[in-house]
Amino acid sequence: MRLSTIAISAGVLMLAACGSAEPEPAPTPSPTIAAPRTLVGADLDLSTLGAKIVGPQGPEVETVLSAGNRQIGTLVSYVACPAGVAVCNPSEMPAETAYTYVHRITLADVDETAEAAPTDGPEVVETAPTLFRTIRKASGFNQSIGYSTAEAEAALGDPDAISISSDNGSLIWRVVRGSGWKPGSTMTFWWQSTLPPQGPAEAYLLEIEGNQVAATGPFPPEDKPVEGSRN
């Protein structure tokens, strides 16, 4: 009888000990990373554009695209008001005006002295991506975006060769079809923002033939437009 009482007492103590243990801490939630979102692109219609914003570099900003000591091409960018606007002055435009950012990239002609890439053997690697993108969040982006389908057909061999996506607010135009970007040809990309440009910024990137080239062009401010902003 005494042994049973001792055993019961021991069991009660063990249960009490178990019941007094601190609960395990709740797992810390990890932040959800937004996946890239596919956007529906539209053809470039120049008839919908009005006057260009004239900044300290004039109505257009031109950048030479270089990798090492080799020029890959040129980027010419501008920002336009809607059709019917004769003088595009952001400080005089109504709120929520849609400004169209246009970027025209012309590749340099092929370098005949460049060494051709191998087509077979161990040196062959997966084809590097060809894309143009913003490297900053496109502030004020109103979901209107696209490229010139006629130029895509001439430069890439397919009017539907470009896929467009948004990755954490950055806009990406990626070549996914076609026969490759022909040297000497031009591609025009566009998007709209309700914010006028704050000024030229190194906010763009061209990736082609394994080269990543940062480029300068008009870009909106991070928050709200600055009065009298210019490209």
Side-chain angles (χ1 to χ4, degrees):
M1 187 69 172
R2 185 178 180 184
L3 290 175
S4 299
T5 302
I6 295 174
I8 292 172
S9 300
V12 171
L13 291 173
M14 291 179 64
L15 288 173
C18 292
S20 63
E22 294 183 2
E24 294 184 2
T28 303
S30 56
T32 301
I33 300 176
R37 181 166 55 90
T38 301
L39 302 175
V40 178
D43 193 11
L44 175 64
D45 184 359
L46 294 176
S47 68
T48 63
L49 304 184
K52 301 174 183 177
I53 297 177
V54 178
Q57 298 184 28
E60 297 181 341
V61 177
E62 182 172 352
T63 302
V64 174
L65 305 173
S66 300
N69 58 355
R70 182 168 69 95
Q71 179 175 336
I72 293 177
T74 57
L75 168 65
V76 176
S77 302
Y78 63 87
V79 182
C81 276
V85 178
V87 178
C88 189
N89 186 344
S91 64
E92 299 177 356
M93 298 301 296
E96 301 304 311
T97 295
Y99 299 93
T100 303
Y101 289 68
V102 181
H103 312 282
R104 188 171 65 249
I105 298 177
T106 302
L107 292 188
D109 288 327
V110 64
D111 184 358
E112 301 293 344
T113 64
E115 184 178 352
T119 57
D120 55 20
E123 301 87 354
V124 176
V125 296
E126 184 180 351
T127 303
T130 297
L131 59 87
F132 175 66
R133 65 170 296 164
T134 68
I135 55 178
R136 300 184 187 179
K137 179 179 178 180
S139 304
F141 175 53
N142 69 352
Q143 307 302 311
S144 295
I145 192 170
Y147 61 93
S148 169
T149 56
E151 290 179 349
E153 184 169 17
L156 303 168
D158 189 333
D160 301 316
I162 305 295
S163 171
I164 306 174
S165 62
S166 173
D167 188 358
N168 288 323
S170 296
L171 306 177
I172 306 170
W173 295 260
R174 184 186 299 269
V175 178
V176 294
R177 295 168 57 178
S179 54
W181 197 334
K182 297 177 183 177
S185 62
T186 299
M187 275 293 304
T188 302
F189 310 93
W190 69 272
W191 58 286
Q192 286 186 345
S193 173
T194 55
L195 301 178
Q198 186 178 45
E202 193 174 273
Y204 301 95
L205 179 77
L206 173 67
E207 185 168 347
I208 187 170
E209 297 178 351
N211 298 301
Q212 292 187 342
V213 185
T216 298
F219 205 76
E222 293 185 2
D223 296 316
K224 58 184 179 179
V226 178
E227 185 176 357
S229 300
R230 300 180 299 175
N231 71 331

